[in-house]
Amino acid sequence: MEKIIRSGTKEINIQWINSNLLNGPKPVLVFLHEALGSIIQWKSFPAELCHALNLPGIVIERSGHGKSSDLAGERDIRYLHNYADETQDVLKEILNPDQKIILVGHSDGGSIALILASRQLKNLLAVVTMAAHTFVEEETLAGIHPAIEAFESGKLDGLYRIHGEKTKELFYAWANTWLNPEFRNWGIREEIQSFNIPVLAMQGTNDQYGTEEQVNSIVLDKINRKGIMVPNCGHHPHLEKKDLIIREIENGFNQLRMTNS
């Protein structure tokens, strides 16, 4: 069930999954999408994961995307931190402050999840990332140029059906920010080492936007962080290798449940 909620001056579209399980002892899975993403672009993955784990879930559509409010203004190099602020505000708006959560983020959403974890949120149990960015690689920048060519040649016109009139602004906000020379020094590698909750970091071996070094920078030598490189997989592990990803998250959740029991 999708619903527009008010968060400050913004209207944010969210989707509830297994809402009958909310306000109980079970943690809520919070899904954070990619740079050009939306609720619908997750496809069936959030519902299937929630059903596999028998957990409630919330899919958040950030401002500038889908049915949510337009972008508030021109992006700067701290845009992912700004989206972390927005996500935190939305969660405060819709959840009891004591409600336990697990963040599940893809690409930009994975980076946002890690930033939120670094803020030591007392109700955050664990983080799952897929293709998260922690620093700027040449591979990431090289992957953006073909995306620009595809957009300008009409090959990505399907985005207009999702984001409507916001599409062009959203696309170039993403592309131009990452290609901005000032953004080359962006990174969160240091700040994400400050928390101790479990992390499962996954990435496709054929991801055009990043290498294994992204996963390595998240995991390092921390015993409660696990990295998985998914073979024969690109930038969307949850769509390309859905069953494998659900199984790995399910295994991680069972270990978390045993640790906390």
Side-chain angles (χ1 to χ4, degrees):
M1 177 183 69
E2 290 187 31
K3 179 182 180 182
I4 301 287
I5 62 116
R6 195 86 174 158
S7 180
T9 60
K10 300 172 183 176
E11 290 186 341
I12 302 295
N13 189 32
I14 63 172
Q15 180 185 55
W16 297 99
I17 302 168
N18 290 347
S19 57
N20 58 303
L21 299 177
L22 285 167
N23 302 317
K26 295 177 180 288
V28 176
L29 297 178
V30 179
F31 295 87
L32 306 176
H33 60 68
E34 63 182 310
L36 302 177
S38 64
I39 289 173
I40 196 172
Q41 285 161 274
W42 281 104
K43 298 188 177 179
S44 66
F45 176 77
E48 290 190 43
L49 181 60
C50 287
H51 292 315
L53 300 180
N54 194 31
L55 294 177
I58 301 168
V59 190
I60 299 175
E61 204 163 64
R62 296 190 294 277
S63 61
H65 300 74
K67 299 174 185 175
S68 293
S69 294
D70 293 350
L71 291 173
E74 189 172 348
R75 283 185 180 172
D76 59 26
I77 62 172
R78 287 188 57 81
Y79 85 96
L80 290 168
H81 289 79
N82 295 335
Y83 270 137
D85 294 341
E86 177 182 285
T87 302
Q88 207 167 343
D89 289 341
V90 170
L91 292 175
K92 288 178 181 177
E93 194 73 36
I94 62 178
L95 292 178
N96 182 300
D98 296 322
Q99 174 66 63
K100 300 299 183 183
I101 62 173
I102 296 172
L103 298 175
V104 181
H106 171 231
S107 194
D108 272 18
S111 305
I112 293 166
L114 292 168
I115 292 169
L116 287 169
S118 72
R119 296 177 180 181
Q120 311 286 347
L121 305 183
K122 66 177 184 178
N123 62 334
L124 179 56
L125 294 181
V127 171
V128 176
T129 68
M130 296 166 288
H133 311 288
T134 64
F135 66 102
V136 179
E137 291 186 286
E138 289 302 322
E139 286 80 1
T140 312
L141 304 180
I144 292 173
H145 292 290
I148 294 174
E149 293 175 7
F151 183 78
E152 293 180 347
S153 66
K155 294 178 181 177
L156 300 181
D157 280 357
L159 291 173
Y160 283 95
R161 292 193 295 272
I162 299 166
H163 304 295
E165 295 179 355
K166 297 190 283 285
T167 303
K168 187 174 182 179
E169 182 183 17
L170 174 64
F171 181 86
Y172 285 108
W174 164 69
N176 292 341
T177 300
W178 277 85
L179 294 178
N180 184 340
E182 293 183 10
F183 197 70
R184 282 180 176 261
N185 294 323
W186 172 86
I188 57 173
R189 285 177 288 188
E190 292 185 10
E191 66 187 275
I192 66 172
Q193 303 311 321
S194 62
F195 61 88
N196 294 314
I197 62 170
V199 177
L200 175 59
M202 296 176 282
Q203 183 159 325
T205 57
N206 301 332
D207 191 335
Q208 69 270 38
Y209 293 113
T211 72
E212 189 173 0
E213 288 307 306
Q214 299 289 344
V215 170
N216 293 340
S217 71
I218 297 169
V219 175
L220 289 181
D221 57 354
K222 292 182 177 287
I223 60 172
N224 60 346
R225 299 188 185 187
K226 180 180 179 181
I228 298 174
M229 293 301 296
V230 183
N232 302 312
C233 180
H235 189 60
H236 297 81
H238 59 294
L239 302 181
E240 300 171 51
K241 303 289 184 178
K242 180 176 62 179
D243 292 343
L244 171 64
I245 298 305
I246 289 176
R247 188 162 62 248
E248 291 291 352
I249 297 174
E250 196 169 9
N251 290 340
F253 178 70
N254 288 335
Q255 292 175 10
L256 176 66
R257 189 164 48 189
M258 286 189 295
T259 301
N260 292 335
S261 61

